């Protein structure tokens, strides 16, 4: 009964490095999204996907790329890490209607030095 | 654009006291509203959601929220706080889907609840 699984849980990057945060869900949910959480700012939407092959930008997309080749997976790529991307990242999935519960992963704590 | 505002970034109560966490929303259409809870070092989990079937919504762990359209509010309450309620609480509003857009969640800033013995 895994739900939404994120890897890694912790990561330290040097400025300019790239990396991919992994997200997988086993609930056959159409909708998946990535948020970043910063103190005092709540969660802000980075990118989201309404199904395999369909992605769109959220509120804070700059510096991040996504793709959705399968229903299960929704990786988030940092192209060239910057200290401003130090944050906690959460992946979420939902069945897709507007009033349904979003299920969240445990988060990835990323530090860019 | 829809938005939510949570009044008070920190709330501190004694064990057994009333918990009141405030949330006001801005929406041009009837909103979809949620409360999520985040325990330390964990992801968010749903406490309750407003479905328009009833203005008073009951959630898990004894929490409830009342939708007041006239005040554009959706405050979260619990009659008696437990130590295990210490967490961060987020109010969220969902867009209405249209085309390829879906109900994106917009979160408030969060309220950290501390419960003292």
């Amino acid at each position: 009964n895994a739900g939404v699984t994120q890897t890694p849980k912790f990561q330290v990057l040097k400025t300019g490095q790239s990396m991919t945060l992994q997200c997988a869900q086993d609930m056959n949910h159409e909708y998946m999204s990535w948020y970043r959480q910063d103190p005092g700012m709540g969660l802000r939407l980075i990118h989201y996907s309404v199904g395999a092959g369909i992605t769109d930008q959220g509120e804070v997309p700059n510096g991040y790329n996504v793709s959705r080749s399968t229903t299960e997976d929704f990786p988030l790529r940092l192209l060239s890490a910057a200290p401003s991307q130090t944050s906690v990242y959460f992946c979420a999935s939902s069945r897709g209607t507007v009033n349904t519960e979003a299920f969240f992963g445990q988060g990835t704590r990323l530090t860019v030095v | 654009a829809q938005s939510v505002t949570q009044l008070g970034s920190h709330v501190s109560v004694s064990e057994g006291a009333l918990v009141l966490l405030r949330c006001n929303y801005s929406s041009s259409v009837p909103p979809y509203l949620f409360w999520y809870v985040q325990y330390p070092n964990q992801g968010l989990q749903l406490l309750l959601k407003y479905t328009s079937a009833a203005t008073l919504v009951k959630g898990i762990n004894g929490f409830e929220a009342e939708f007041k359209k006239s005040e554009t509010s959706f405050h979260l309450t619990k009659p008696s706080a437990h130590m295990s309620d210490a967490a961060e609480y987020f109010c969220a509003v969902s867009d209405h889907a249209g085309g390829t857009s879906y109900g994106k969640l917009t979160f408030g800033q969060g309220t950290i609840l501390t419960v003292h013995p």
Side-chain angles (χ1 to χ4, degrees):
Chain A
N1 203 15
V4 179
T5 302
Q6 289 184 237
T7 55
K9 286 187 169 49
F10 302 94
Q11 183 70 49
V12 178
L13 286 180
K14 294 182 179 179
T15 297
Q17 286 184 316
S18 62
M19 78 160 294
T20 299
L21 279 63
Q22 301 292 343
C23 175
Q25 53 93 5
D26 62 358
M27 296 172 282
N28 201 32
H29 286 167
E30 290 185 56
Y31 299 96
M32 298 185 72
S33 51
W34 277 100
Y35 294 87
R36 59 177 290 171
Q37 182 181 25
D38 302 291
M41 302 188 75
L43 279 77
R44 292 179 293 169
L45 183 65
I46 304 171
H47 285 286
Y48 67 97
S49 170
V50 300
I54 306 170
T55 64
D56 205 349
Q57 296 181 350
E59 181 185 355
V60 287
N62 292 341
Y64 308 95
N65 271 356
V66 292
S67 59
R68 183 98 179 269
S69 56
T70 67
T71 300
E72 294 79 18
D73 300 301
F74 190 45
L76 178 72
R77 298 184 192 83
L78 279 69
L79 308 174
S80 177
S84 60
Q85 294 178 303
T86 294
S87 186
V88 181
Y89 292 83
F90 288 98
C91 179
S93 74
S94 64
R95 280 191 294 113
T97 56
V98 295
N99 200 25
T100 58
E101 177 180 359
F103 293 83
F104 286 80
Q106 297 277 314
T108 296
R109 187 173 294 273
L110 176 68
T111 302
V112 182
V113 297
Chain B
Q2 306 197 0
S3 65
V4 291
T5 301
Q6 292 182 240
L7 298 176
S9 58
H10 290 82
V11 170
S12 180
V13 301
S14 298
E15 193 172 21
L18 171 72
V19 175
L20 171 61
L21 304 182
R22 299 178 187 272
C23 173
N24 288 89
Y25 68 90
S26 170
S27 175
S28 58
V29 296
Y32 297 115
L33 293 162
F34 306 79
W35 275 100
Y36 283 84
V37 61
Q38 183 182 31
Y39 298 104
N41 300 313
Q42 294 189 26
L44 281 71
Q45 61 185 80
L46 184 68
L47 267 181
L48 51 82
K49 65 179 182 181
Y50 171 64
T51 63
S52 77
T55 57
L56 185 63
V57 182
K58 294 188 183 300
I60 61 172
N61 301 336
F63 284 92
E64 60 183 34
E66 186 172 8
F67 174 71
K68 291 187 176 181
K69 184 178 179 180
S70 61
E71 299 178 7
T72 61
S73 69
F74 191 55
H75 301 331
L76 182 70
T77 60
K78 182 174 181 177
S80 177
H82 295 159
M83 297 293 291
S84 60
D85 294 328
E88 189 163 14
Y89 293 80
F90 292 93
C91 184
V93 63
S94 173
D95 286 351
H96 289 230
T100 57
S101 177
Y102 85 116
K104 298 191 297 289
L105 285 172
T106 300
F107 287 89
Q109 303 90 326
T111 299
I112 295 173
L113 176 66
T114 303
V115 182
H116 297 287

